[in-house]
Amino acid sequence: MFRLTLRNLLHKKIRFAFTTGIVVIGVTFVVGVFALTDSIRSSFDDLASDIESGIDLTVRVPLQIGDELDRVRVPQEVADRVAAVPGVARVDGRIVARNTSVIDDNGEPIAPRGPPTLGSSWFPTQFFVVDGRPPDGPDEFAINSKAATAHDLVVGNTYDISGPNEQRSFRLVGIYNFGDPDKDKSLAASAVAFDTATAQEFLNGGEGFNEVSVAIEPGADRATVQQAVADVVGSEYEVVDQSAKIEETQADFGQFISIFGNVLLAFALIGVFVSAFIINNVFQIVLGQRVRELGLLRAIGATGRQVSRSVIGEAALVGFLSTVIGLVAGLGLARLLRIMLKSGGFALPDGPIGLRPRTVVFAVVVGMGVTLVSSILPALRARRISPMAALSDTAKLAKGSLATRARIGGLMVSIGAVLLGLGLFGGFDTKPLLFFISVGAIMVFIGTTVLSPVSASQVARHIGWPLQKVFGVPGKLARENAARSPRRTSSTAGALMIGLALVSMAGVVGQSIKETFAGTIDNSVRADYFIQSASGGFDPNVGFSAEVVDRLAALPELDLIVGYRFGLDSIDVNGSTKNVFTTDFAAGVSHMDPDVLSGSIADADPLGSILLHKDPARDLQVTVGDTLVVGFPDGEVEALTVAAIYADSTIYDNYVIDNAMWDRHFNRSELMFATATISGYSDSLPDDEKTALLASSAAAIEKVTDSYPTVTVENRVQFRETQQARLDSFLIVISVFLGLALFIALVGISITLALSVFERTREIGLLRAVGLTRRQLRRSVRWEAAIVSVFGALLGVALGLIFGIAAAIAIPDTAIKSVAIPWRNLVIYVIVAAVAGLIAAILPARRAAKMNILEAIATE
Amino acid sequence: MSLLTTNPTATDLVAARAINLTKIYGRGDTEVRALDGIDVEFHQGQFTAIMGPSGSGKSTLMHCLAGLDRITSGSIVIGGTDLTALNERRLTLLRRDRIGFVFQAFNLVPTLTALENITLPMDLAGTKPDPAWLDTVIDTVGLRDRMTHRPSELSGGQQQRVAVARALAGRPELIFADEPTGNLDSTTGAEILSFMRRAVREMEQTIIMVTHDPVAASYADRVVFLVDGTIVDDLVDPTADSVLDAMKRLGN
Ligand SMILES: Nc1ncnc2c1ncn2[C@@H]1O[C@H](COP(=O)(O)OP(=O)(O)O)[C@@H](O)[C@H]1O
Ligand SMILES: [Mg+2]
């Protein structure tokens, strides 16, 4: 029997290639993603050790919450005390800051595109000069060689550098490699370095170091020295050794890699999920084509068990081969992905790419698992094939009844819908709400998948109706062929459905965010100008020096300037870590109105109060006048009075403090963005006066910003447009997922269609004999694919709409206040799917048209 | 052997003619001369049967005449059109507009209803069937109440009748049938054959039918015998017995 299985596979090469090919795609995705993530992780782990090498001990102030850069500074005096400890070879005070951009010869700032732009003091143990020398003096700097090469920076030239506090000119005196004498291992977009005193003054605006690194004398016992240093500095400070620092750095990287890896994994899972549909389909079809042959086996004495075993055996062989091929192809995909991501601006290290045991296990689970599971049902059906099938012309595999399907699917969709409804409108807390919504969504999804064959024929006929009107017989054939096997049509369409559901859902969420944002700008924002980092938008790690704001504030054309900051996970409220937003209490409300429900912002005490959104106010059960105990990154705790509770969190988020309060507890001084109003401007002015005011203020602003290329100033209309464009580009990232799902679905459509065409050989021969031209035949195959695709697209868009609306309702008001649906995009998705179907059908259509009529007629 | 028919009911117009028709399959050692210099004419309004032992070239001749297969040398003329001069597309259109087909099995497109199958060639051409003629044809096949059924809902005999109706519906110059009754029991077969004969007698159709059944051949006006790709005999107004006799002669 096994020999027969083998024969079978070799005999039907094309069929075999198809089945294997589709499984290979799934395995390749999983392997590629795991291999790449592993490679990145191990290179980052190595990098972490490289970065921390040469630093035996680090002295710093402990940090409970907030950003690394918000650590309280270590004063020079502590460094001096450490230097005196026996066994200590050298002590370097380290200063680090973000948002330090070099403006190149073209006047373009080195802007962060993901990785930060760093500024620091010179680290003698980690910086290796490749050109020039280390910076030494108040007007000198050095830069890492990657950035120097990328931006054509030349030693000896003078460049403007925009730092966290101000912008100033420095002369480039050296180019260095970070972490390794031979290779710049820096991951930052750029890393500029100054001598210690300059860094202190220019980056930190004063005394002290972010941390102090200690190298111990060769031969000295590390633990002993560590203890001695700890004794000298006292309990205010912590002393960590190299391995602890390496672990910390690895954990930092790990966080980034996890996010990255999870996105990639989602990518792979979608790939596997979509290919599972197709694998299943192909198995069913292939088995359907073999019914007579299997019947013959039964007739000459094979038991039902032997038949089903041969079917499973074939699947196992396909699964095994696919796994092997997929493992190899996956390594290739990992390389390809890395090249793609790198060209897309990700700073990924070039480590070796290899297979870990876990990757192989997953590959086997996917490759063998999916094939075996897909073959179980057909194998059981094959067991029931009667020997009579050999004799019958129209023998078919038994199929489950559509009525049962309708019942099960209908039940699942209904339960899912009820759960969704409960989650959305039941007024539950976040946790049960998310549970209801996600379980509901999954039920609706599975139910729809179960249900779709029930309606596939009907729907396909409806979709195909206009084709018949336009194309006549080829249209009619396309329509009827799409409708003839509802199971096949719906599982082919299912592959497409997944991708479109994802993208439509993202589309609804994105559109809702966009409109919420637009609504906020229209209704709550009174400011006329918006000042932000040229590259950053609302990235919490990207900011600009307040210097430019001071210069703008000096302009007579502008009235008020308000700066805003944002701290991610930076305050402690009742034991849990929260984000914090800052503004100027006195002026902020007149620029951005958060819809105050009770209390007053303008009258609030900047150094004693906090503003709350109504949701956390409700959760914390506080009202205006109550006191909240708030912890800050510097370890200080303050009791703040709730001065106001507001309803609109789109801009202000949940917790707001005054900028003065921020300055008291945070080191970083950069602004995230700022707003300005025009002197004498009001919406009630006549249009020509408004235009004149806008023009004169814009000209005045431009004079200032011309010399600050790291900052952009936009009026209300521009601001709205760029923010929306930014959201759009985020949605484009989502469409990469569509691209992937679409690609696999395309392959699936192509394969299914090729098999269907093969199955209909005789029919095609007949049609050709009675006068169907090749062109008409190709057309009918192509439009059949289009109908199937549109069916999948419609299902996908419908599901995406439901899920998108559910998600939009579940997402906090900060981001989405009301649901908006991007109808135009949804229509475009369906059209794209139809076109994709047409493209996928090109090859099968050609194959069909090339079929020799006589052979086709003669085929049994 | 005379190539001219003496059938009194026939008009003298030639529906199809093969001139020195040769068809060779394969090359070198595996070369098969399926048709070897055939000269034959088929007249309008006649029902001709082509007979011969298995492998004698019956199907090949039919396929070549019908423009389904390319010939090696010689020429074929259908109603004045030389098939050798036509490209693939023109051949397809010729089949669609001027030729009807009935095959041994699998004659109907399973996704189309009986009526849609009947009008398929005309629908492909985008022409409207002549309603009166269509009515006549449907009444003649006697399946008016089955017109909205799909092939899977029809018996084998009914399917073949629908196939014949399709061949007739477009009033083609020529109808080819390859063992149209090969898959049917004798009663149903007889029904189809007499139906085909009526189409020739009463509707002035021209039919060329391949068969190896002497009884089937006896329904024809003329029987052409093929052996090894050449025409070896030509019977007019055959009966089952005269066909059998001829077969026995050829068998020796
Ligand atoms: N496609 C083909 N390739 C090679 N040889 C063929 C092909 N079709 C038919 N033949 C050969 O041509 C001869 C005539 O075949 P055919 O016309 O089918 O005979 P009949 O229909 O009289 O049984 C046979 O010897 C057959 O083997
Ligand atoms: Mg034959």
Side-chain angles (χ1 to χ4, degrees), chain B residues 25-26 32 34 53-61:
Chain B
Y25 286 112
V32 177
S54 177
S56 57
K58 305 183 293 290
S59 296
T60 307
L61 176 59

Side-chain angles (χ1 to χ4, degrees), chain A residues 26 29-37 41 257-273 337 358-359 362 366 737 740:
Chain A
F29 270 110
V30 170
V31 172
V33 164
F34 276 118
L36 180 62
T37 327
R41 197 179 298 274
I257 297 163
S258 295
I259 295 172
F260 186 79
N262 284 341
V263 171
L264 282 180
L265 195 64
F267 198 72
L269 284 182
I270 292 171
V272 170
F273 201 56
L337 271 178
R358 181 204 50 175
T359 312
F362 265 89
V366 169
F737 284 87
L740 166 76

